[in-house]
């Protein structure tokens, strides 16, 4: 699939005025400009430039199901100054997108927000109230630019430390042009009851598709961080490359939920990783609904005894999309355990599970279970699994289970004899297939995923 | 009313049923009996509209030819099919499913049986059979074709489903496939069809009694 196939016009919102700052193309000058405009400290500027050199030296990943060779980095905008963002009128939002909003039953007010028309003032106030409560407990939840100014030492010692700059071409790209994102710090023994949502933040931090998120859960703390938007998000940029770095300290627990529903002109290539210390627990819950191409393999590095990781992902590959999802878990200490459950549904697109589980020497008595299921529906749909398992410690065990299949004729026939059409029966069976993961996704996202599946099935 | 006019069925060129003709009116109970492999289930699947079952002749529901309609349209016209081995559908919540298909509120005892369970998943053979009958009652069909609703059930359960069938038969026409005579203790059919090697012989209760005493051999 080539980039040229995307109908750019579908996503070209007409802008009211030209942004004052628009940095198009990937050049040293533009990278320096980003750093200057953001008034960053020297070390960050140096880091960006160093990362740019790494980016240039690295070759494009060529092992995925999607062909990235024709990604033209000079075509993208790398920075738009927030105040000068293109303001979009409701009338300019493409009909197709409006129709999707209507079908999804999203209220008019919210549709405007999601269409990028207005900012969500109400959420902002809810967020501010929440922030007061959190401040009392010493919780930090702020945007990355503010964090860089207010907590420079913490950022400096954690930024691109969990995900090294030279991890891949895209981690290097991210480090050189990043903007936006969130910083979360949970102090020792503090439990944050409500999920922290980056949804609210996204409205004020809209500038970048290269957002950087750092979450530090100090000893014995507990937090659920939720990132995403509840409906298709339409943006000018068609390359999204975020980095998420999670530090789970002793006895701490972090649950990171993300649901992405980017429009079908977006290349979604993220790097997300957690380092988990003794008795720590990281839980990844992911829903990958939109985008044209996705490559996303959240990783957990279990460095302390009894550290645990759980990866749960659901991927929808609709028409003309290539979706790779998966997980990476490195067991580096005794008694560590991990569980990976991945479900993919291909309806006119191609989905692949790519995973790596490595149990290193010395990680005695460690255990990992991997389960990946692919459901293939209709013509031109495809599913694959590419599991990699590396065990260097005898005293450990791994279980792996992979299934790819279609909904059986018997199932469809049974449902049809109960008066359900083939399409109704198909969507019911698909929802059944997703059930295991849906239970873990927040209700509003699950409902939306349900509706989207029904829409995709109706379109067969 | 369900009417079969000179219905022959073949699957992949193999003839399974030859020239079957009979009518099932609302309020009537018909038994379809016959030895294993004689084509009884094939007839039920043909009426339901299963793929790969090539039907010649006419299958009529309330006078309308349904041979070429998909199974769901037949169901919407008032045809219910009770399966011998209902397929398990993972992840599909039974309660949600019942809400989708029922025309009546779901009774408490059915609800408690399916609570937090998936469609047919993990139920015993007997439970599945009972739930097929529950689904039939909830859909309130004009015609119900039940494929061995009694197999795998104990006597008490057969008694219970028989009562349900008898009550429902005031408005629904039944075609019940059975090769046990156990069901005869509870339900007296109005008509009995015996199928041997794809051919049908029709009679009344006395035919069933004859089979009860002599088996199918004497009918050849």
């Amino acid at each position: 699939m080539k980039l040229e196939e995307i109908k750019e016009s579908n996503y070209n919102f007409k802008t009211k005025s030209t942004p004052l700052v628009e940095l198009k193309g990937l050049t040293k000058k533009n990278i320096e400009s980003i750093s200057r405009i953001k008034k960053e400290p020297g070390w960050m500027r140096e880091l960006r430039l160093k990362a740019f050199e790494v980016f240039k030296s690295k070759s494009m990943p060529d092992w995925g199901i999607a062909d990235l060779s024709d990604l033209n980095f000079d075509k993208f905008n790398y920075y738009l100054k927030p105040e000068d963002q293109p303001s979009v009128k409701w009338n300019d939002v493409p009909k197709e997108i409006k129709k999707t909003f209507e079908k999804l039953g999203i209220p008019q007010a919210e549709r405007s927000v999601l269409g990028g028309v207005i900012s969500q003032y109400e959420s902002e106030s809810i967020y501010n109230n929440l922030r007061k409560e959190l401040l009392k407990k010493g919780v930090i939840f702020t945007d990355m630019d503010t964090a860089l100014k207010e907590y420079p030492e913490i950022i400096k010692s954690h930024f691109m430390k969990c995900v090294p700059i030279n991890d891949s071409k895209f981690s290097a790209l991210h480090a050189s042009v990043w903007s936006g994102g969130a910083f979360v710090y949970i102090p020792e023994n503090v439990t944050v009851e409500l999920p922290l949502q980056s949804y609210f933040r996204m409205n004020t931090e809209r500038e970048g598709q290269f957002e950087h998120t750092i979450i530090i859960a100090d000893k014995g703390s507990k937090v659920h961080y939720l990132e995403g938007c509840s409906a298709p998000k339409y943006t000018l940029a068609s390359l999204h490359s975020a980095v998420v770095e999670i530090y789970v300290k002793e006895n701490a627990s972090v649950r990171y939920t993300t649901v992405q529903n980017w429009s079908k002109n977006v290349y979604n290539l993220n790097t997300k990783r957690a380092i988990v210390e003794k008795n720590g627990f990281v839980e990844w819950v992911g829903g990958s609904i939109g985008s044209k191409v996705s490559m996303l393999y959240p990783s957990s590095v279990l460095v302390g005894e009894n550290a645990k990781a759980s990866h749960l992902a659901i991927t929808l590959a609709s028409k003309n999309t290539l979706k790779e999802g998966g997980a990476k878990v490195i067991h580096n200490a005794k008694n560590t355990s991990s569980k990976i459950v991945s479900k993919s549904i291909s309806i006119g697109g191609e989905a692949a599970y790519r995973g790596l589980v490595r149990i290193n020497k010395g990680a005695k008595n460690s255990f990992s279970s991997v389960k990946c299921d692919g459901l293939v529906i209709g013509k031109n749909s495809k599913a694959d699994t590419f599991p990699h398992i590396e065990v260097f410690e005898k005293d450990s065990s791994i279980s792996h289970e992979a299934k790819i299949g279609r909904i059986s004729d018997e199932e469809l026939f049974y449902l049809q004899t109960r008066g359900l059409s083939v399409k109704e029966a198909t969507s019911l069976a698909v929802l059944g297939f997703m059930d295991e993961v849906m239970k873990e996704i927040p209700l509003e996202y699950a409902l939306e995923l349900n509706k989207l599946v029904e829409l995709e099935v109706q379109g067969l | 009313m369900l009417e079969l006019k000179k219905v022959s069925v073949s699957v992949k060129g193999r003839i399974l049923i030859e020239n079957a003709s009979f009518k099932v009116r609302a309020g009537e109970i018909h038994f379809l009996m016959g030895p294993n492999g004689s084509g009884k289930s094939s007839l039920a699947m043909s009426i339901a509209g299963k793929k790969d079952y090539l039907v010649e002749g006419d299958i009529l529901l309330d006078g309308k030819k349904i041979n070429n309609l998909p199974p769901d349209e037949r169901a919407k016209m008032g045809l219910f099919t009770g399966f011998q081995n209902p397929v398990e559908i993972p992840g599909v919540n039974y309660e949600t499913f019942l809400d989708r298909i029922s025309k009546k509120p779901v009774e408490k005892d059915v609800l408690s049986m399916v609570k937090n369970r998936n469609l047919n998943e993990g139920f015993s053979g007997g439970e599945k059979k009972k739930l097929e009958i529950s689904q039939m009652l909830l859909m309130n069909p004009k015609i119900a074709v039940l494929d061995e609703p009694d197999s795998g059930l104990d006597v008490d359960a057969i008694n219970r489903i028989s009562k349900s069938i008898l009550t429902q038969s005031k408005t629904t026409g039944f075609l019940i496939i059975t090769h046990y005579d156990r069901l005869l203790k509870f339900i007296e059919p109005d008509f009995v069809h015996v199928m041997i090697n794809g051919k049908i012989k029709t009679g009344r209760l006395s035919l069933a009694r004859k089979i009860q005493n002599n088996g199918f051999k004497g009918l050849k």
Side-chain angles (χ1 to χ4, degrees):
Chain A
M1 214 175 290
K2 302 281 175 193
L3 190 64
E4 281 73 27
E5 283 171 31
I6 307 161
K7 283 186 192 164
E8 290 287 341
S9 59
N10 281 0
Y11 306 100
N12 250 335
F13 295 105
K14 283 176 188 160
T15 53
K16 215 172 155 187
S17 61
T18 316
L20 290 172
V21 183
E22 187 187 65
L23 299 175
K24 196 173 178 177
L26 195 55
T27 59
K28 192 180 170 197
K29 196 173 151 250
N30 277 350
I31 291 165
E32 282 172 334
S33 298
I34 295 174
S35 197
R36 193 180 58 245
I37 295 163
K38 292 161 86 74
K39 298 188 180 80
E40 286 174 352
W43 70 264
M44 183 57 87
R45 186 175 159 275
E46 292 308 310
L47 184 147
R48 285 181 184 275
L49 293 173
K50 188 186 140 207
F52 185 48
E53 292 306 314
V54 176
F55 167 79
K56 286 191 287 190
S57 73
K58 287 247 175 198
S59 55
M60 200 69 121
D62 59 356
W63 34 264
I65 56 170
D67 178 13
L68 300 175
S69 62
D70 55 343
L71 261 184
N72 183 353
F73 290 101
D74 285 328
K75 272 177 71 176
F76 301 113
N77 265 318
Y78 288 91
Y79 186 73
L80 295 174
K81 203 178 174 194
E83 302 84 38
D84 307 311
Q85 268 191 90
S87 68
V88 182
K89 281 187 192 163
W90 179 243
N91 285 342
D92 296 333
V93 176
K95 258 185 211 159
E96 224 176 274
I97 294 164
K98 284 186 191 167
K99 234 184 253 170
T100 310
F101 286 158
E102 273 160 35
K103 283 184 191 166
L104 290 172
I106 293 162
Q108 184 67 50
E110 204 175 328
R111 283 184 218 166
S112 304
V113 175
L114 300 164
V117 183
I118 55 165
S119 58
Q120 200 178 13
Y121 300 108
E122 282 172 45
S123 314
E124 203 57 27
S125 62
I126 294 168
Y127 167 69
N128 283 333
N129 286 336
L130 179 68
R131 191 155 63 173
K132 273 179 208 160
E133 284 303 302
L134 295 173
L135 273 173
K136 273 188 220 161
K137 291 180 172 174
V139 171
I140 302 169
F141 179 27
T142 185
D143 63 87
M144 196 45 87
D145 290 329
T146 308
L148 190 55
K149 287 190 183 82
E150 292 181 12
Y151 315 99
E153 290 311 311
I154 304 181
I155 301 302
K156 195 176 176 180
S157 56
H158 292 84
F159 191 89
M160 299 304 287
K161 289 289 188 287
C162 180
V163 176
I165 290 168
N166 61 7
D167 193 63
S168 75
K169 192 170 183 72
F170 287 94
S171 62
L173 171 73
H174 169 92
S176 59
V177 298
W178 77 273
S179 64
F183 172 60
V184 174
Y185 172 77
I186 315 295
E188 275 187 37
N189 299 319
V190 167
T191 295
V192 180
E193 302 290 348
L194 285 170
L196 290 182
Q197 303 218 10
S198 72
Y199 179 63
F200 303 120
R201 298 236 51 86
M202 296 293 277
N203 296 313
T204 48
E205 293 300 312
R206 208 187 275 277
E207 85 256 44
Q209 310 312 323
F210 302 92
E211 69 267 23
H212 194 100
T213 301
I214 294 178
I215 299 170
I216 304 170
D218 218 330
K219 287 176 186 170
S221 71
K222 202 174 169 188
V223 67
H224 180 188
Y225 185 81
L226 210 154
E227 175 204 84
C229 49
S230 63
K233 198 174 156 65
Y234 295 91
T235 58
L236 299 163
S238 46
L239 175 63
H240 176 238
S241 189
V243 165
V244 175
E245 302 183 277
I246 303 179
Y247 298 88
V248 184
K249 304 288 180 187
E250 253 183 70
N251 295 310
S253 137
V254 175
R255 183 181 174 109
Y256 180 93
T257 302
T258 176
V259 180
Q260 72 86 358
N261 194 11
W262 297 102
S263 58
K264 282 194 188 173
N265 65 337
V266 171
Y267 279 72
N268 185 46
L269 314 162
N270 302 318
T271 313
K272 304 185 178 189
R273 188 168 302 160
I275 295 174
V276 190
E277 295 181 16
K278 195 176 168 186
N279 295 323
F281 182 34
V282 67
E283 257 181 300
W284 301 92
V285 180
S288 173
I289 306 167
S291 82
K292 172 190 172 63
V293 171
S294 272
M295 293 170 85
L296 175 60
Y297 329 92
S299 332
S300 302
V301 187
L302 307 175
V303 297
E305 283 181 29
N306 296 312
K308 278 194 298 188
S310 162
H311 292 243
L312 198 60
I314 187 139
T315 303
L316 180 69
S318 57
K319 206 177 166 191
N320 295 330
T321 65
L322 296 164
K323 306 287 288 286
E324 277 203 23
K328 254 199 233 177
V329 182
I330 315 294
H331 292 255
N332 260 346
K334 282 183 203 163
N335 303 321
T336 49
S337 65
S338 63
K339 185 185 172 195
I340 298 168
V341 176
S342 164
K343 297 231 169 195
S344 74
I345 301 139
S346 310
I347 311 182
E350 192 175 337
Y353 166 83
R354 194 180 297 277
L356 170 70
V357 174
R358 184 188 297 144
I359 297 186
N360 280 331
K361 185 102 191 106
K364 286 190 190 328
N365 195 31
S366 291
F367 175 75
S368 177
S369 78
V370 181
K371 188 181 161 203
C372 43
D373 294 344
L375 186 64
V376 180
I377 292 159
K379 290 169 195 161
N380 307 319
S381 308
K382 214 180 145 189
D384 275 310
T385 62
F386 305 103
H388 300 273
I389 291 169
E390 299 169 2
V391 181
F392 301 103
E393 176 56 61
K394 277 181 201 158
D395 189 17
S396 64
S397 64
I398 281 187
S399 80
H400 174 77
E401 204 186 302
K403 263 193 311 223
I404 288 175
R406 289 179 177 270
I407 300 166
S408 73
D409 286 347
E410 296 300 317
E411 288 173 52
L412 285 181
F413 176 59
Y414 183 85
L415 295 169
Q416 277 188 284
T417 63
R418 301 312 189 242
L420 303 174
S421 68
V422 174
K423 285 178 179 177
E424 288 169 330
T426 303
S427 56
L428 198 65
V430 175
L431 296 179
F433 171 81
M434 305 193 301
D435 188 62
E436 192 180 349
V437 177
M438 295 294 259
K439 282 176 193 154
E440 303 302 325
I441 290 179
L443 187 65
E444 68 266 33
Y445 296 98
L447 284 174
E448 191 198 315
L449 193 50
N450 273 2
K451 284 182 183 164
L452 278 164
V453 164
E454 278 171 17
L455 283 179
E456 291 292 341
V457 172
Q458 287 306 314
L460 277 178
Chain B
M1 183 176 73
L2 174 73
E3 186 176 1
L4 274 70
K5 275 187 185 169
K6 295 185 177 172
V7 168
S8 296
V9 178
S10 58
V11 173
K12 289 170 187 160
R14 207 175 126 236
I15 296 163
L16 301 174
I17 295 155
E18 282 179 81
N19 235 353
S21 295
F22 59 84
K23 289 175 187 173
V24 181
R25 294 175 189 84
E28 289 178 354
I29 297 179
H30 293 233
F31 275 16
L32 176 59
M33 305 175 84
N36 290 331
S38 58
K40 303 184 300 293
S41 291
S42 297
L43 188 65
M45 293 300 105
S46 308
I47 296 169
K50 193 172 184 188
K51 252 202 279 187
D52 302 331
Y53 284 68
L54 192 68
V55 175
E56 283 173 57
D58 292 343
I59 303 174
L60 304 161
L61 195 60
D62 289 337
K64 198 187 165 206
K65 190 174 165 180
I66 59 168
N67 297 34
N68 300 316
L69 293 180
D72 48 306
E73 303 217 358
R74 300 180 195 206
K76 280 184 191 134
M77 286 170 71
L79 175 72
F80 179 86
T81 309
F83 286 78
Q84 194 181 337
N85 298 306
V87 63
E88 300 195 357
I89 308 186
V92 174
N93 182 275
Y94 213 129
E95 216 179 317
T96 316
F97 169 74
L98 287 181
D99 283 340
R100 244 347 231 277
I101 65 161
S102 341
K103 297 198 171 69
K104 302 169 175 176
V106 185
E107 299 94 345
K108 271 187 190 159
D109 58 326
V110 178
L111 275 183
S112 66
M113 197 167 165
V114 302
K115 192 140 193 78
N116 297 324
R117 299 286 294 267
N118 292 328
L119 190 45
N120 296 324
E121 206 179 28
F123 284 102
S124 72
E127 286 173 319
K128 285 181 194 168
K129 289 301 177 62
K130 281 188 232 170
L131 286 166
E132 289 289 289
I133 298 295
S134 305
Q135 288 185 35
M136 184 270 294
L137 297 173
L138 289 167
M139 290 185 76
N140 192 23
K142 287 178 185 164
I143 297 292
V145 179
L146 308 178
D147 194 357
E148 297 195 16
D150 51 350
S151 63
L153 292 186
D154 58 38
V155 180
D156 291 339
I158 294 180
N159 187 11
R160 272 200 302 278
I161 66 148
S162 299
K163 279 181 182 159
S164 301
I165 290 170
L166 286 169
T167 313
Q168 184 67 28
S169 73
K170 282 170 195 151
T171 52
T172 299
F174 280 92
L175 177 62
I176 301 172
I177 296 171
T178 175
H179 60 196
Y180 296 110
D181 52 20
R182 288 198 300 175
L183 203 56
L184 273 171
K185 291 189 185 110
F186 301 98
I187 300 174
E188 291 199 346
D190 301 292
F191 293 90
V192 174
H193 310 278
V194 180
M195 185 176 269
I196 293 168
N197 293 327
K199 292 193 179 107
I200 277 186
K201 185 182 161 78
T202 298
R204 294 275 185 170
L205 186 58
S206 58
L207 181 60
R209 298 272 183 242
K210 212 189 259 177
I211 295 167
Q212 210 172 359
N213 296 327
N214 308 323
F216 296 108
K217 279 179 185 168
L219 296 168
K220 273 181 184 169

